Amino acid sequence: MLCLRRGKRAKRRSELSLMRIGVLASGRGSNLQALIEAWKLGELNGELVAVGSDHEEALALKRAEEAGIPHGAFPLSRFSSRQEQEKAILTWLREQKVEILVLAGFMRVLSKEFLQDIQIPVLNIHPSLLPSFQGLHAQRQALDYGVKISGCTVHFVDEGLDSGPIIAQEAVPVLPGDTEDSLSARILEAEHRLYPEAVGWVAGGRIKRNGRIVVKL
Ligand code: GAR
């Protein structure tokens, strides 16, 4: 059983210093902004110490700049391969001494090697109630399937696609006449509530994990 609640020694440490949280985001960064706001209110049990992106022009990087968080762009065009790009991201996260990695709209699937090497918890948020509608365009998939309830899921990242152990979920209704945009906006509001809360649980050592089963302590 892997227990993410930290022991007495680590607990004493957490009283002195907060968990160092890094974020990877590819675009708009509204979830990053929700994390920044929770952090500023002291609700994250951690501090945001690094924001990386695979897109130089990502709004997420501007949000990090405004919040005074060290940030870096790692566009694929600067590297000879995806492997080299991931190596650079990993090296930089280590330099920033990141202890939890949070994916917030990071639209790349991280390789098995990256996930094995990083050796810290990696979290993701996905805009559906997993395991339904994994992968891209989850809101479109939900509408096309005709479900009446959708939502968002925060999960640990494993080597599969949106398949890691589930930490938290929030449901939202799918309403008659919903479009991809209207459903996405409703789910996004839930994401902005759920992600800072779930990251705070992990950063605060309030999560126990036994295989696929994640329990909030
Ligand atoms: C969010 O809806 C997030 O759940 C989704 O991308 C959006 C990013 O928005 N992520 C995925 O689909 C990952 N599979 P944001 O950049 O405004 O946070």
Side-chain angles (χ1 to χ4, degrees):
M1 181 187 291
L2 172 65
C3 183
L4 295 179
R5 184 198 267 280
R6 285 166 285 155
K8 268 192 193 154
R9 217 169 123 204
K11 216 168 169 189
R12 277 202 298 278
R13 172 189 178 279
S14 79
E15 281 157 15
L16 301 171
S17 66
L18 295 165
M19 288 292 270
R20 296 175 65 81
I21 301 169
V23 178
L24 293 179
S26 294
R28 166 181 68 176
S30 71
N31 275 292
L32 167 65
Q33 192 63 44
L35 291 164
I36 291 171
E37 279 155 30
W39 170 43
K40 297 217 156 148
L41 289 170
E43 292 171 353
L44 216 51
N45 292 319
E47 51 181 339
L48 295 172
V49 296
V51 174
S53 182
D54 53 343
H55 288 282
E56 231 149 357
E57 301 304 321
L59 182 53
L61 292 176
K62 294 199 179 69
R63 294 183 194 269
E65 165 100 36
E66 274 165 25
I69 306 168
H71 49 283
F74 301 86
L76 184 57
S77 56
R78 258 198 237 155
F79 301 94
S80 55
S81 64
R82 286 198 182 278
Q83 204 185 10
E84 291 304 311
Q85 180 194 30
E86 282 193 346
K87 264 193 203 161
I89 293 174
L90 187 56
T91 301
W92 183 71
L93 292 171
R94 283 187 176 140
E95 283 165 5
Q96 308 304 316
K97 301 187 168 46
V98 167
E99 296 170 292
I100 297 176
L101 178 60
V102 173
L103 308 183
F106 187 63
M107 303 313 274
R108 283 263 338 273
V109 176
L110 292 165
S111 71
K112 189 170 126 189
E113 290 73 26
F114 179 96
L115 293 171
Q116 277 168 0
D117 286 353
I118 192 160
Q119 295 197 335
I120 57 173
V122 181
L123 277 64
N124 183 42
I125 189 155
H126 182 76
S128 75
L129 293 178
L130 291 171
S132 294
F133 315 126
Q134 293 154 319
L136 292 175
H137 307 296
Q139 303 94 331
R140 171 88 264 148
Q141 293 183 55
L143 284 173
D144 289 348
Y145 200 88
V147 296
K148 304 300 179 221
I149 295 174
S150 189
C152 55
T153 303
V154 178
H155 63 95
F156 286 111
V157 175
D158 67 4
E159 290 163 15
L161 179 64
D162 301 320
S163 60
I166 291 173
I167 301 168
Q169 294 185 299
E170 184 170 331
V172 305
V174 180
L175 301 177
D178 256 343
T179 61
E180 192 172 351
D181 282 350
S182 63
L183 178 59
S184 299
R186 195 174 308 118
I187 293 174
L188 200 61
E189 275 183 36
E191 293 183 40
H192 296 165
R193 282 189 293 274
L194 192 68
Y195 214 6
E197 196 178 14
V199 170
W201 296 344
V202 176
R206 296 180 60 200
I207 288 293
K208 189 176 77 174
R209 186 174 153 184
N210 185 10
R212 280 212 61 86
I213 308 304
V214 177
V215 178
K216 190 189 141 225
L217 302 169

